[in-house]
Amino acid sequence: LPAQLRHRLVDQHGLSLQAAMAVIANPDILVLYKYLVEEGRLSGKAAYSFVFSALLSVLKQAHLEVSACPVPRERLLELNRETAEARLTNPCARVILEHLMKKKDESRSVTEIVAAMNLQQITDKAEIQSVCDEVIAARPGIVAKIRKGKNVKLNLAALVTQTVEAR
């Protein structure tokens, strides 16, 4: 049976063999994964990415197992939809998960919480360009260091961080 399930996860859900084995290894993860894919009609890759990139890292920080997650699976599905539809990145999903684990904003939808926290992903190229231009213009010292070749990686990382925080 595990071999059949593994093959189904690879063939029908598009997971790698390693990812399929990771899902199958923990019964609680498998149940949640199936719920996200079947009930939520999400792709296998989207569900896998959410569970292993966002959810497990937040639960690990809180020293919790999947079975003890205080966020109802319906809310997890709602959050996974935001990441699957590219409205939210996995790092931002972690922030929302931490927020939800504190039982804050239980009456608001995940979409409303994302908007209130200004965490929605910008996908409009013109808006991205505008934010980048503003960050670069406001930090001539960092730009000068990059042009001189001084600590290029570090300074680029600073610009990227400031660009993300600028919205």
Side-chain angles (χ1 to χ4, degrees), residues 73-104:
R73 65 185 194 165
E74 296 80 14
R75 299 284 271 177
L76 295 175
L77 173 58
E78 200 180 347
L79 185 55
N80 194 175
R81 277 199 183 110
E82 292 290 318
T83 61
E85 295 172 7
R87 290 190 299 260
L88 188 68
T89 63
N90 274 327
C92 290
R94 287 186 209 117
V95 172
I96 299 294
L97 273 169
E98 290 167 358
H99 184 78
L100 292 172
M101 285 177 63
K102 294 174 186 168
K103 304 244 186 232
K104 293 183 176 180

Short mmCIF file of all heavy atoms in Angstrom, two decimals, residues 73-104:
data_model
loop_
_atom_site.label_atom_id
_atom_site.label_comp_id
_atom_site.label_asym_id
_atom_site.label_seq_id
_atom_site.Cartn_x
_atom_site.Cartn_y
_atom_site.Cartn_z
N ARG A 73 -7.64 23.20 10.26
CA ARG A 73 -7.19 22.87 8.91
C ARG A 73 -7.91 23.68 7.84
O ARG A 73 -7.35 23.92 6.78
CB ARG A 73 -7.28 21.37 8.64
CG ARG A 73 -8.66 20.80 8.64
CD ARG A 73 -8.61 19.30 8.49
NE ARG A 73 -9.93 18.82 8.15
CZ ARG A 73 -10.16 17.63 7.67
NH1 ARG A 73 -9.17 16.79 7.49
NH2 ARG A 73 -11.38 17.26 7.37
N GLU A 74 -9.11 24.16 8.13
CA GLU A 74 -9.81 25.02 7.17
C GLU A 74 -9.06 26.34 6.98
O GLU A 74 -8.99 26.87 5.88
CB GLU A 74 -11.25 25.30 7.64
CG GLU A 74 -12.14 24.08 7.70
CD GLU A 74 -11.95 23.23 8.96
OE1 GLU A 74 -11.31 23.70 9.94
OE2 GLU A 74 -12.43 22.08 8.97
N ARG A 75 -8.48 26.84 8.07
CA ARG A 75 -7.68 28.07 7.99
C ARG A 75 -6.36 27.80 7.28
O ARG A 75 -5.87 28.64 6.53
CB ARG A 75 -7.41 28.63 9.38
CG ARG A 75 -8.65 29.00 10.16
CD ARG A 75 -9.25 30.28 9.71
NE ARG A 75 -8.64 31.38 10.44
CZ ARG A 75 -8.91 32.64 10.23
NH1 ARG A 75 -9.77 32.98 9.30
NH2 ARG A 75 -8.34 33.58 10.93
N LEU A 76 -5.81 26.61 7.51
CA LEU A 76 -4.58 26.23 6.80
C LEU A 76 -4.84 26.16 5.30
O LEU A 76 -4.02 26.60 4.50
CB LEU A 76 -4.04 24.90 7.32
CG LEU A 76 -3.56 24.88 8.77
CD1 LEU A 76 -3.17 23.46 9.17
CD2 LEU A 76 -2.42 25.85 9.00
N LEU A 77 -5.99 25.62 4.94
CA LEU A 77 -6.36 25.54 3.53
C LEU A 77 -6.51 26.94 2.93
O LEU A 77 -6.02 27.23 1.84
CB LEU A 77 -7.66 24.75 3.36
CG LEU A 77 -8.26 24.73 1.95
CD1 LEU A 77 -7.28 24.15 0.94
CD2 LEU A 77 -9.55 23.93 1.95
N GLU A 78 -7.16 27.81 3.67
CA GLU A 78 -7.34 29.19 3.22
C GLU A 78 -5.98 29.86 2.99
O GLU A 78 -5.76 30.54 1.98
CB GLU A 78 -8.13 29.93 4.30
CG GLU A 78 -8.81 31.19 3.89
CD GLU A 78 -9.56 31.84 5.06
OE1 GLU A 78 -9.76 31.22 6.13
OE2 GLU A 78 -9.94 32.99 4.86
N LEU A 79 -5.06 29.64 3.91
CA LEU A 79 -3.72 30.21 3.80
C LEU A 79 -2.95 29.57 2.65
O LEU A 79 -2.27 30.26 1.88
CB LEU A 79 -2.97 30.03 5.12
CG LEU A 79 -1.59 30.67 5.24
CD1 LEU A 79 -1.64 32.16 4.92
CD2 LEU A 79 -1.04 30.45 6.64
N ASN A 80 -3.09 28.26 2.48
CA ASN A 80 -2.41 27.56 1.39
C ASN A 80 -2.91 28.07 0.03
O ASN A 80 -2.14 28.19 -0.92
CB ASN A 80 -2.62 26.06 1.52
CG ASN A 80 -1.69 25.23 0.64
OD1 ASN A 80 -1.69 24.02 0.72
ND2 ASN A 80 -0.87 25.83 -0.21
N ARG A 81 -4.19 28.40 -0.05
CA ARG A 81 -4.72 28.96 -1.31
C ARG A 81 -4.03 30.28 -1.66
O ARG A 81 -3.76 30.56 -2.82
CB ARG A 81 -6.22 29.18 -1.20
CG ARG A 81 -7.01 27.95 -1.48
CD ARG A 81 -8.47 28.28 -1.82
NE ARG A 81 -9.18 27.04 -2.00
CZ ARG A 81 -10.10 26.57 -1.18
NH1 ARG A 81 -10.45 27.25 -0.11
NH2 ARG A 81 -10.69 25.42 -1.42
N GLU A 82 -3.78 31.09 -0.64
CA GLU A 82 -3.11 32.38 -0.87
C GLU A 82 -1.71 32.16 -1.46
O GLU A 82 -1.29 32.88 -2.36
CB GLU A 82 -3.01 33.19 0.43
CG GLU A 82 -4.32 33.68 0.97
CD GLU A 82 -4.94 34.77 0.12
OE1 GLU A 82 -4.23 35.68 -0.34
OE2 GLU A 82 -6.18 34.73 -0.07
N THR A 83 -0.99 31.16 -0.95
CA THR A 83 0.35 30.89 -1.47
C THR A 83 0.27 30.22 -2.84
O THR A 83 1.04 30.55 -3.73
CB THR A 83 1.19 30.02 -0.51
OG1 THR A 83 0.55 28.76 -0.31
CG2 THR A 83 1.40 30.72 0.82
N ALA A 84 -0.67 29.31 -3.02
CA ALA A 84 -0.80 28.59 -4.28
C ALA A 84 -1.17 29.52 -5.43
O ALA A 84 -0.77 29.30 -6.57
CB ALA A 84 -1.84 27.47 -4.16
N GLU A 85 -1.92 30.56 -5.12
CA GLU A 85 -2.35 31.51 -6.15
C GLU A 85 -1.41 32.70 -6.24
O GLU A 85 -1.75 33.72 -6.85
CB GLU A 85 -3.80 31.93 -5.88
CG GLU A 85 -4.75 30.75 -6.03
CD GLU A 85 -6.18 31.05 -5.60
OE1 GLU A 85 -6.50 32.22 -5.31
OE2 GLU A 85 -6.97 30.09 -5.55
N ALA A 86 -0.22 32.58 -5.65
CA ALA A 86 0.85 33.58 -5.72
C ALA A 86 0.45 34.95 -5.18
O ALA A 86 0.97 35.96 -5.61
CB ALA A 86 1.38 33.69 -7.14
N ARG A 87 -0.47 34.97 -4.24
CA ARG A 87 -0.82 36.23 -3.59
C ARG A 87 0.00 36.43 -2.32
O ARG A 87 -0.02 37.50 -1.72
CB ARG A 87 -2.31 36.27 -3.27
CG ARG A 87 -3.20 36.38 -4.50
CD ARG A 87 -4.64 36.66 -4.14
NE ARG A 87 -5.22 35.62 -3.32
CZ ARG A 87 -6.02 34.66 -3.78
NH1 ARG A 87 -6.33 34.61 -5.05
NH2 ARG A 87 -6.52 33.75 -2.96
N LEU A 88 0.70 35.37 -1.91
CA LEU A 88 1.45 35.40 -0.66
C LEU A 88 2.64 34.45 -0.80
O LEU A 88 2.50 33.35 -1.33
CB LEU A 88 0.53 34.93 0.48
CG LEU A 88 1.02 35.04 1.90
CD1 LEU A 88 1.15 36.50 2.30
CD2 LEU A 88 0.05 34.35 2.84
N THR A 89 3.79 34.87 -0.33
CA THR A 89 4.97 34.00 -0.36
C THR A 89 4.98 33.10 0.88
O THR A 89 4.30 33.40 1.87
CB THR A 89 6.26 34.84 -0.37
OG1 THR A 89 6.32 35.60 0.86
CG2 THR A 89 6.33 35.76 -1.57
N ASN A 90 5.75 32.03 0.83
CA ASN A 90 5.84 31.14 1.99
C ASN A 90 6.41 31.85 3.22
O ASN A 90 5.92 31.63 4.33
CB ASN A 90 6.63 29.88 1.66
CG ASN A 90 5.76 28.81 1.04
OD1 ASN A 90 4.58 28.69 1.36
ND2 ASN A 90 6.31 28.03 0.14
N PRO A 91 7.42 32.73 3.08
CA PRO A 91 7.87 33.46 4.28
C PRO A 91 6.75 34.31 4.90
O PRO A 91 6.62 34.39 6.12
CB PRO A 91 9.02 34.33 3.76
CG PRO A 91 9.55 33.57 2.59
CD PRO A 91 8.34 32.95 1.95
N CYS A 92 5.94 34.93 4.06
CA CYS A 92 4.81 35.72 4.59
C CYS A 92 3.75 34.80 5.18
O CYS A 92 3.09 35.15 6.16
CB CYS A 92 4.23 36.61 3.51
SG CYS A 92 5.33 37.96 3.04
N ALA A 93 3.59 33.62 4.59
CA ALA A 93 2.64 32.65 5.14
C ALA A 93 3.06 32.25 6.55
O ALA A 93 2.21 32.04 7.43
CB ALA A 93 2.55 31.42 4.24
N ARG A 94 4.37 32.17 6.78
CA ARG A 94 4.85 31.85 8.13
C ARG A 94 4.42 32.93 9.12
O ARG A 94 4.02 32.63 10.24
CB ARG A 94 6.37 31.71 8.12
CG ARG A 94 6.84 30.45 7.47
CD ARG A 94 8.36 30.28 7.62
NE ARG A 94 8.83 29.53 6.48
CZ ARG A 94 9.66 29.96 5.56
NH1 ARG A 94 10.17 31.18 5.65
NH2 ARG A 94 10.01 29.21 4.56
N VAL A 95 4.53 34.18 8.71
CA VAL A 95 4.12 35.29 9.58
C VAL A 95 2.63 35.18 9.91
O VAL A 95 2.22 35.33 11.07
CB VAL A 95 4.43 36.65 8.91
CG1 VAL A 95 3.83 37.81 9.70
CG2 VAL A 95 5.94 36.83 8.74
N ILE A 96 1.83 34.89 8.90
CA ILE A 96 0.39 34.74 9.11
C ILE A 96 0.10 33.54 10.01
O ILE A 96 -0.74 33.61 10.90
CB ILE A 96 -0.37 34.60 7.77
CG1 ILE A 96 -0.17 35.84 6.90
CG2 ILE A 96 -1.85 34.31 7.99
CD1 ILE A 96 -0.78 37.10 7.44
N LEU A 97 0.82 32.44 9.80
CA LEU A 97 0.63 31.26 10.66
C LEU A 97 0.94 31.58 12.12
O LEU A 97 0.20 31.18 13.02
CB LEU A 97 1.54 30.12 10.19
CG LEU A 97 0.98 29.23 9.11
CD1 LEU A 97 2.07 28.32 8.56
CD2 LEU A 97 -0.17 28.40 9.64
N GLU A 98 2.03 32.28 12.34
CA GLU A 98 2.38 32.66 13.71
C GLU A 98 1.26 33.51 14.32
O GLU A 98 0.90 33.35 15.48
CB GLU A 98 3.71 33.41 13.74
CG GLU A 98 4.89 32.52 13.43
CD GLU A 98 6.17 33.28 13.13
OE1 GLU A 98 6.15 34.55 13.11
OE2 GLU A 98 7.19 32.62 12.89
N HIS A 99 0.73 34.40 13.52
CA HIS A 99 -0.38 35.26 13.94
C HIS A 99 -1.61 34.41 14.28
O HIS A 99 -2.23 34.60 15.33
CB HIS A 99 -0.69 36.24 12.80
CG HIS A 99 -1.73 37.26 13.11
ND1 HIS A 99 -1.48 38.37 13.87
CD2 HIS A 99 -3.03 37.33 12.74
CE1 HIS A 99 -2.58 39.09 13.96
NE2 HIS A 99 -3.54 38.49 13.28
N LEU A 100 -1.94 33.48 13.41
CA LEU A 100 -3.11 32.61 13.62
C LEU A 100 -2.93 31.69 14.83
O LEU A 100 -3.89 31.37 15.52
CB LEU A 100 -3.40 31.78 12.37
CG LEU A 100 -3.88 32.55 11.14
CD1 LEU A 100 -3.94 31.63 9.93
CD2 LEU A 100 -5.21 33.21 11.40
N MET A 101 -1.70 31.27 15.07
CA MET A 101 -1.44 30.39 16.21
C MET A 101 -1.67 31.09 17.54
O MET A 101 -1.95 30.45 18.55
CB MET A 101 -0.02 29.82 16.13
CG MET A 101 0.08 28.74 15.05
SD MET A 101 1.74 28.08 14.82
CE MET A 101 2.07 27.34 16.40
N LYS A 102 -1.57 32.41 17.52
CA LYS A 102 -1.83 33.18 18.74
C LYS A 102 -3.33 33.45 18.91
O LYS A 102 -3.73 34.20 19.78
CB LYS A 102 -1.06 34.49 18.68
CG LYS A 102 0.43 34.30 18.72
CD LYS A 102 1.16 35.60 18.51
CE LYS A 102 2.66 35.34 18.40
NZ LYS A 102 3.37 36.52 17.92
N LYS A 103 -4.12 32.84 18.01
CA LYS A 103 -5.59 32.95 18.04
C LYS A 103 -6.05 34.41 17.88
O LYS A 103 -7.03 34.84 18.46
CB LYS A 103 -6.16 32.36 19.32
CG LYS A 103 -5.75 30.92 19.53
CD LYS A 103 -6.92 30.03 19.51
CE LYS A 103 -6.49 28.62 19.87
NZ LYS A 103 -6.89 27.65 18.95
N LYS A 104 -5.31 35.15 17.05
CA LYS A 104 -5.71 36.53 16.77
C LYS A 104 -6.56 36.54 15.51
O LYS A 104 -6.39 35.72 14.62
CB LYS A 104 -4.47 37.40 16.56
CG LYS A 104 -3.64 37.58 17.80
CD LYS A 104 -2.49 38.52 17.54
CE LYS A 104 -1.70 38.77 18.81
NZ LYS A 104 -0.60 39.68 18.56
#
